[in-house]
Structures are given as C-alpha cells and as structure tokens.
Amino acid sequence: MPASVLARLLTVKELPDGGSSWPARCPLDAGGAQVLVASVQTGHRLGAVENRAADVEVLARLARDPVPRVRFAYAALVGDFGRRVPEGVLEVLAGDGQARIRRAVTRWDVPPAVRERLAGDDDAAVRAAAVTEQLWASAAPAVRESLLADPAPEVRDALAVLFAGERERG
C-alpha cells in the first residue's frame, strides 16, 4: 500500500470490519511502515510492530517509543517473523526503564555482554530470565558467583532448572 494512501486511511475515524487490526495485516513498503511508526495513534504503531512485512530498520525506531506498551510489544516481537534485528536495538531495549521490557529482551539471542548486564539487573525477574545456557557458558566468574549468591527465589529456581538440564544432558 503506498504511503500516501496509508496516510489518508489513518485519518479515518471509524474503519469498518475490524478496523483496529488492519495496520498489522496490510502490505507495507518502507514508506508505509514509516507512516505507521510516525503516527500519533498508539494502535497504529502497535500495528506496525505486528506487521510481518514492515521494514526492520523503520521498526527499530519503536525501541525508543515514548509509550511503554509499544516498546514492550516491539521487544516481545522484534525477532519474530524471521526478521533480522538491527544492530544495537536489543542493547537499547535491555537498558529500558521498564523491567518487563528488559525481561522480554532475554527471549532473544542477545550479545553476551548484554545478557551479563541483564543477569545483574535490579529486578529479580529480569535476572532470572537472563539465566540461560548461553549466559552460563560465557559469563565472567563474578557474574556466576553473583547469581549463585542471589537471594531471589526466582533466580535460584532458574539456576536449578539450568543445572537440572545440564545433568540430564551430561
């Protein structure tokens, strides 16, 4: 859909037949993705996140969206649909002020330094989510020691699951 047509559609107050989900379904070129990402309507930006055809470079701007719900949706879906994740995006999301956004980043294959940073997060749920085989295999000894001494039950549980899996494979 050409960006000019999409921009006009965004001005329509009431769209018929499931109008709220059409941004996620319509074919988008880079110009159309830019129109959705730049929209003042949160729903349009959320639709861009869910659109399989949206340009990944354009979507990357959503990592810094002012609305936490949009950043969370982007963090949760950034690597879905076989999309390439632009360089630096996961690092931005891993530093987000919202714990649930940082936790969502742990789903993805983040660089080891970023995963180590998440393993030292202030939020115990983020630390627990950061505990993976990838982290344990590459973590600095200080990171491992910190996790082993972590008082949070969810971190201890994550470590127990990790070690149980290692025993089963070993």
Side-chain angles (χ1 to χ4, degrees), residues 94-168:
D96 195 273
Q98 301 277 320
R100 71 184 189 139
I101 294 169
R102 296 190 307 274
R103 192 170 49 248
V105 172
T106 64
R107 293 183 55 200
W108 308 109
D109 185 20
V110 296
V114 174
R115 190 162 294 277
E116 280 191 25
R117 187 173 82 207
L118 292 167
D121 197 90
D122 290 340
D123 187 275
V126 174
R127 293 193 307 274
V131 173
T132 62
E133 290 179 31
Q134 174 197 21
L135 170 72
W136 204 253
S138 65
V143 173
R144 288 180 180 190
E145 290 171 19
S146 177
L147 287 168
L148 289 170
D150 197 303
E154 53 265 64
V155 175
R156 289 194 309 268
D157 290 348
L159 288 169
V161 168
L162 175 70
F163 297 146
E166 284 181 356
R167 277 194 300 270
E168 288 175 7

Side-chain angles (χ1 to χ4, degrees), residues 29-35 37-38 54-62 74 86:
D29 60 9
Q34 287 177 3
V35 168
V37 167
D55 183 270
V56 295
E57 296 297 331
V58 174
L59 287 180
R61 295 192 339 225
L62 296 175
Y74 181 66

Side-chain angles (χ1 to χ4, degrees), residues 6-87:
L6 181 58
R8 287 184 58 213
L9 277 174
L10 295 182
T11 65
V12 176
K13 297 286 184 211
E14 299 274 336
L15 291 172
D17 191 21
S20 64
S21 65
W22 68 267
R25 294 189 322 252
C26 71
L28 292 179
D29 60 9
Q34 287 177 3
V35 168
L36 285 178
V37 167
S39 174
V40 297
Q41 297 293 322
T42 300
H44 296 158
R45 297 191 310 280
L46 288 170
V49 169
E50 295 172 7
N51 191 301
R52 293 175 177 269
D55 183 270
V56 295
E57 296 297 331
V58 174
L59 287 180
R61 295 192 339 225
L62 296 175
R64 291 184 170 88
D65 195 271
V67 177
R69 191 172 86 178
V70 173
R71 293 193 315 273
F72 175 73
Y74 181 66
L77 297 175
V78 67
D80 280 356
F81 315 130
R83 293 194 268 217
R84 174 185 63 79
V85 180
E87 190 172 324

